[in-house]
């Protein structure tokens, strides 16, 4: 992915201190954390719940990083995140302008260990997540390391896709879709509510593709192999792939993020056409 030298966003709040966080109490395997992290990121449930489920309970809480953040970090990974965020700001601002709306950019919070959010305590093991109540994206960069080591996804563009997916949730918040979904889910069975969650997630994937389409058109960010890398990420983190990894079989009704094939399909659709209106997963007969 070509991004060096492009604009960097100032909407980054760096809460990483030198102290870092960590799991207190009994030790948990990296594999457990990995699955919990990815599962919670893509299923939207508290990672500690997953860890407790997987390790039989009694996991003590994650300690919070106590050390205040020092000077703004300027390492490559931080600059990369700032640059991708700036690119989403420029892209979505233009797309919103096209429909006579104004894009209010979110803040991206970098943290390590745990951090307070308007959606409760954000845990390192949650992976990247978006909190609509404070309109902030929370990212512990160790998630990218996990993508590399656990899922063999070593691609900057795949990392950008993860950020762009969270930005997709912010767009859903700005357009009121998330609120509509929440209200509708209150009147449904669990299976129907899960189906709506899948559609919400696939739309965020499609929006990530829309971003990539326009960012590439404007700044030529996509290099050879990049799309394959992002699709590999979408495949590795589909609900069916995660379920197979964690329990050995697949239960479609409990999908809340969509299968690998669905995630790949909607991201590709957004990427190819670059049109927001093509991302109406709620009207789609077939996902
Ligand atoms: Zn999501």
């Amino acid at each position: 992915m070509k991004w060096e030298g492009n604009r960097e966003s100032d909407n980054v709040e760096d809460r990483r201190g030198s102290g870092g966080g960590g799991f207190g109490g009994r030790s948990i395997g990296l594999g457990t954390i990995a699955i919990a992290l990815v599962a919670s990121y893509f299923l939207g449930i508290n990672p500690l719940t997953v860890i407790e489920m997987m390790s039989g309970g009694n996991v003590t809480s994650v300690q919070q990083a106590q050390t205040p953040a020092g000077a703004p970090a300027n390492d490559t990974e931080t600059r990369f995140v700032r640059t991708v965020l700036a690119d989403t700001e420029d892209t979505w601002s233009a797309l919103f302008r096209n429909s006579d709306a104004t894009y209010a950019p979110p803040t991206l919070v970098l943290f390590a260990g745990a951090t307070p959010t308007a959606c409760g305590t954000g845990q390192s093991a949650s992976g990247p997540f978006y909190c609509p109540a404070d309109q902030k994206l929370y990212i512990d960069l160790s998630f990218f390391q996990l993508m590399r080591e656990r899922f063999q996804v070593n691609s900057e563009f795949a990392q950008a896709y993860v950020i762009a997916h969270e930005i997709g949730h912010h767009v859903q918040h700005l357009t009121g879709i998330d609120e509509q979904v929440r209200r509708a889910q209150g009147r449904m069975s669990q299976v129907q509510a899960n189906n709506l969650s899948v559609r919400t997630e696939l739309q965020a994937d499609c929006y990530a593709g829309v971003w990539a389409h326009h960012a590439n058109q404007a700044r030529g960010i996509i290099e050879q192999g990049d799309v394959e890398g992002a699709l590999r990420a979408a495949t590795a983190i589909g609900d069916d792939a995660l379920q197979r990894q964690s329990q050995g079989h697949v239960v479609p009704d409990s999908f809340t993020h969509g299968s690998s094939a669905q995630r790949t399909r909607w991201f590709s659709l957004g990427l190819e056409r670059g049109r927001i209106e093509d991302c109406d997963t709620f009207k789609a007969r077939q996902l």
Side-chain angles (χ1 to χ4, degrees):
M1 176 175 163
K2 262 176 58 198
W3 59 272
E4 293 268 6
N6 291 349
R7 185 175 81 81
E8 292 179 31
S9 174
D10 289 325
N11 296 321
V12 172
E13 195 182 317
D14 200 339
R15 296 185 190 168
R16 296 171 296 178
S18 52
F23 285 90
R26 63 189 270 183
S27 65
I28 309 158
L30 181 64
T32 305
I33 295 175
I35 292 170
L37 197 161
V38 178
S40 66
Y41 170 48
F42 291 98
L43 304 177
I45 49 180
N46 187 329
L48 286 177
T49 311
V50 183
I51 291 172
E52 283 183 355
M53 270 158 41
M54 293 176 67
S55 58
N58 296 324
V59 177
T60 54
S61 66
V62 172
Q63 288 162 356
Q64 190 167 334
Q66 296 294 342
T67 319
N74 199 32
D75 57 290
T76 306
E77 209 164 38
T78 305
R79 285 192 301 111
F80 172 75
V81 169
R82 286 181 182 277
T83 306
V84 171
L85 183 65
D87 205 312
T88 63
E89 290 166 356
D90 295 342
T91 301
W92 282 108
S93 294
L95 288 171
F96 270 58
R97 249 195 325 271
N98 287 348
S99 26
D100 294 318
T102 307
Y103 179 70
T107 299
L108 189 152
V109 178
L110 292 170
F111 73 101
T115 197
T117 86
C119 301
T121 302
Q123 310 285 4
S124 168
S126 304
F129 64 96
Y130 174 72
C131 171
D134 56 20
Q135 303 196 24
K136 291 181 179 181
L137 277 71
Y138 293 87
I139 300 187
D140 185 320
L141 294 180
S142 63
F143 184 75
F144 293 153
Q145 190 187 345
L146 188 87
M147 281 172 68
R148 284 192 292 271
E149 291 172 4
R150 178 91 186 178
F151 298 102
Q152 280 78 50
V153 176
N154 192 4
S155 150
E156 285 177 335
F157 187 63
Q159 296 174 354
Y161 152 65
V162 167
I163 296 172
H165 172 95
E166 296 309 325
I167 294 289
H169 287 311
H170 177 63
V171 170
Q172 288 173 325
H173 180 64
L174 292 181
T175 54
I177 287 170
D178 62 344
E179 186 55 42
Q180 285 177 39
V181 167
R182 250 194 308 280
R183 241 181 276 139
Q185 283 177 326
R187 308 185 294 258
M188 297 177 163
S189 71
Q190 191 60 48
V191 169
Q192 285 172 316
N194 283 352
N195 181 280
L196 264 197
S197 292
V198 168
R199 288 172 191 268
T200 306
E201 292 302 326
L202 293 176
Q203 184 174 62
D205 282 336
C206 187
Y207 284 168
V210 168
W211 162 73
H213 174 97
H214 292 281
N216 191 47
Q217 218 164 44
R219 286 168 285 281
I221 60 163
I222 299 180
E223 294 179 301
Q224 193 164 11
D226 276 352
V227 173
E228 290 73 13
L231 294 182
R232 237 185 359 262
T235 302
I237 55 195
D239 284 343
D240 49 350
L242 286 176
Q243 284 193 6
R244 230 172 255 126
Q245 189 153 11
S246 61
Q247 61 186 35
H249 61 278
V250 174
V251 190
D253 269 351
S254 67
F255 287 0
T256 50
H257 276 68
S259 69
S260 297
Q262 289 169 338
R263 301 201 70 169
T264 300
R265 206 166 82 75
W266 284 96
F267 174 72
S268 302
L269 190 74
L271 177 64
E272 276 163 29
R273 302 193 193 158
R275 300 192 328 183
I276 302 169
E277 55 272 30
D278 288 333
C279 296
D280 194 347
T281 53
F282 298 96
K283 289 226 175 80
R285 286 226 188 115
Q286 215 204 330
L287 294 173

